[in-house]
Amino acid sequence: MSITEQWINTEERLLHEADSLGALLERLRDYVSPVLIGSEEWDKVLERAYGLPVTMAAFPFGFEIPLHDSRPGADLGVSLVGGSRSETVFEKKRKSKDADPSISGIAGLLSEMEPEDSALRRVIGRKMLLEYDVDQMPTGMPPPPGVFVYPVEKRLIGDGSDRSLQELRTVADAVASATGWELNEAERRQVDQVYLAMQPDMEMRAIGAFPSRGRGIRLAATEFRKAEDVVGFLERANWPGQHAVVASTVERFKERGAFAYAGVHYDVTENGVGPKLGLSFFAQEGQWLKEIRHWTPLIDGIHEDQLAVPEKLSELVAWSSGSDALPGKSGSFVLVRGIHHIKFTLVDDRIEQVKAYIFFLIFAWPLTG
């Protein structure tokens, strides 16, 4: 059974399990420590997830956990894939007479990614991530999700070519449009500058926007192996923060053998890159790691440097427990829990936040026909 056949089968089975992603999450509560997501915070997660199709659970989904904060909150991230049953749900909502603008934008982006010969599909395929702010969600109307797309591997490398630059512009324009605004020429020039600051061995691996946080494109460049590579990129992109703090942080964790490669996240506006810098660490070349042993050096380093709440770090270790059998109404599933990456947020001369991006994967069992 191919990967595509597997997710189609899982989607079909999930339709018999619950009528929404939120209803399915209710059954997964025992797998999520209340130290990571508290009772009230879990209810907020469910509130956002009740409006999402259960078939989204056939693809990776999970939570952004603030490890530096003792409050047990989280944001919700879900995958949306072209050609899936979930896309059909979004498209149906888009065509309704009272369609939500954010739903229309997301469905419209999926539609642009559908033709095999489209420029978007060649660069980013047919998948995106929706990130729902939950942790400090205000009362009243919930904010629309952040929208992120991911170029296929080795597509947007830092080769400085006109082709790559045009492809990045096309993707950035499409993401901005999907979140309700249009890039102006000043914003496009700043996006260009970040791309041109990359070296040939670097990749642009994520482009996104948060419509509730004002104008701006978030870009993520990856494949950094050494501190000097990160600092060189920061200098060329004119990041206004303290480069020495970034260098010492990367070097310290490099000496621990705590990561395979790092990523740098910028928020780009017409005035340039913002003061906040995201610094993500990936434990292995693969990004869906279910075994905690890969993360032990990084977690130990975070603990020793007192960058996170110790109880949360302990629960993060317990979270990454591999695979479990998950009984269902339609038969058995395999439930996988792991860590995708851990991100530091630096402002000026300090590490302000440390967040873990943890995931669920659900597969219908048996895995073969």
Side-chain angles (χ1 to χ4, degrees):
M1 182 180 291
S2 68
I3 293 176
T4 300
E5 290 172 327
Q6 181 60 47
W7 67 251
I8 290 173
N9 183 39
T10 301
E11 278 193 309
E12 178 66 31
R13 290 271 308 280
L14 286 169
L15 290 172
H16 302 283
E17 299 299 322
D19 59 6
S20 70
L21 180 62
L24 182 69
L25 280 176
E26 289 179 12
R27 294 162 53 183
L28 302 180
R29 177 52 172 152
D30 289 344
Y31 294 93
V32 183
S33 166
V35 174
L36 297 180
I37 308 180
S39 178
E40 293 183 10
E41 292 78 10
W42 183 253
D43 288 342
K44 290 182 180 180
V45 170
L46 294 181
E47 183 181 343
R48 295 309 305 262
Y50 285 136
L52 299 172
V54 67
T55 49
M56 279 186 152
F59 305 94
F61 66 100
F63 310 101
E64 177 188 288
I65 304 292
L67 300 174
H68 60 281
D69 192 339
S70 60
R71 295 179 305 108
D75 291 332
L76 173 67
V78 295
S79 302
L80 182 56
V81 178
S84 67
R85 288 180 178 269
S86 298
E87 180 191 21
T88 302
V89 173
F90 274 74
E91 184 60 31
K92 183 177 180 180
K93 289 182 178 181
R94 177 194 186 191
K95 293 179 178 178
S96 64
K97 59 182 179 181
D98 56 347
D100 181 279
S102 68
I103 296 294
S104 296
I106 292 165
L109 180 55
L110 281 172
S111 180
E112 288 186 64
M113 294 155 65
E114 182 177 358
E116 291 188 10
D117 61 348
S118 76
L120 278 178
R121 182 163 178 174
R122 286 196 301 270
V123 181
I124 59 177
R126 299 187 69 189
K127 62 180 183 296
M128 68 176 71
L129 174 78
L130 305 181
E131 185 172 322
Y132 291 86
D133 288 334
V134 177
D135 187 19
Q136 300 186 44
M137 186 173 65
T139 56
M141 183 66 69
V147 178
F148 288 82
V149 295
Y150 299 89
V152 298
E153 189 173 357
K154 304 299 182 184
R155 184 72 192 196
L156 288 184
I157 60 173
D159 58 7
S161 69
D162 290 340
R163 187 209 71 178
S164 295
L165 191 57
Q166 185 55 53
E167 288 182 341
L168 176 58
R169 290 171 180 167
T170 298
V171 176
D173 281 338
V175 169
S177 178
T179 52
W181 55 288
E182 292 185 9
L183 286 170
N184 59 39
E185 286 306 312
E187 290 164 334
R188 290 191 181 96
R189 284 195 299 271
Q190 296 297 344
V191 170
D192 290 352
Q193 179 172 310
V194 172
Y195 167 71
L196 293 172
M198 293 167 54
Q199 296 292 307
D201 57 347
M202 302 171 188
E203 290 187 58
M204 190 69 71
R205 291 304 303 271
I207 300 103
F210 286 96
S212 63
R213 303 182 190 180
R215 295 178 69 99
I217 290 288
R218 179 166 294 185
L219 302 176
T222 67
E223 306 305 319
F224 297 96
R225 314 284 169 169
K226 298 179 293 184
E228 52 263 40
D229 295 336
V230 177
V231 172
F233 178 60
L234 299 181
E235 291 173 346
R236 292 188 297 272
N238 294 324
W239 179 61
Q242 296 293 322
H243 298 180
V245 176
V246 179
S248 63
T249 300
V250 174
E251 186 61 34
R252 189 164 65 252
F253 285 94
K254 180 68 174 178
E255 289 175 354
R256 297 177 185 272
F259 65 93
Y261 67 96
V264 172
H265 308 252
Y266 284 131
D267 287 321
V268 182
T269 69
E270 63 182 10
N271 298 316
V273 297
K276 285 189 176 182
L277 178 75
L279 183 62
S280 289
F281 294 108
F282 298 84
Q284 296 283 299
E285 295 299 330
Q287 296 184 14
W288 303 103
L289 304 178
K290 65 179 182 177
E291 296 180 10
I292 193 59
R293 61 185 176 88
H294 301 301
W295 294 100
T296 300
L298 181 59
I299 292 173
D300 286 348
I302 292 171
H303 177 73
E304 291 174 17
D305 288 358
Q306 299 181 348
L307 297 175
V309 177
E311 292 78 10
K312 283 193 169 183
L313 288 177
S314 296
E315 292 301 332
L316 182 64
V317 170
W319 164 270
S320 233
S321 59
S323 305
D324 295 290
L326 180 68
K329 301 173 184 176
S330 62
S332 295
F333 294 83
V334 176
L335 178 68
V336 180
R337 291 181 287 165
I339 301 171
H340 186 269
H341 67 280
I342 292 176
K343 184 174 79 173
F344 295 0
T345 299
L346 293 94
V347 180
D348 297 326
D349 61 349
R350 69 189 187 279
I351 297 173
E352 190 175 78
Q353 299 176 338
V354 178
K355 295 182 177 181
Y357 292 75
I358 63 176
F359 66 86
F360 279 125
L361 288 174
I362 295 178
F363 302 101
W365 184 264
L367 298 180
T368 56

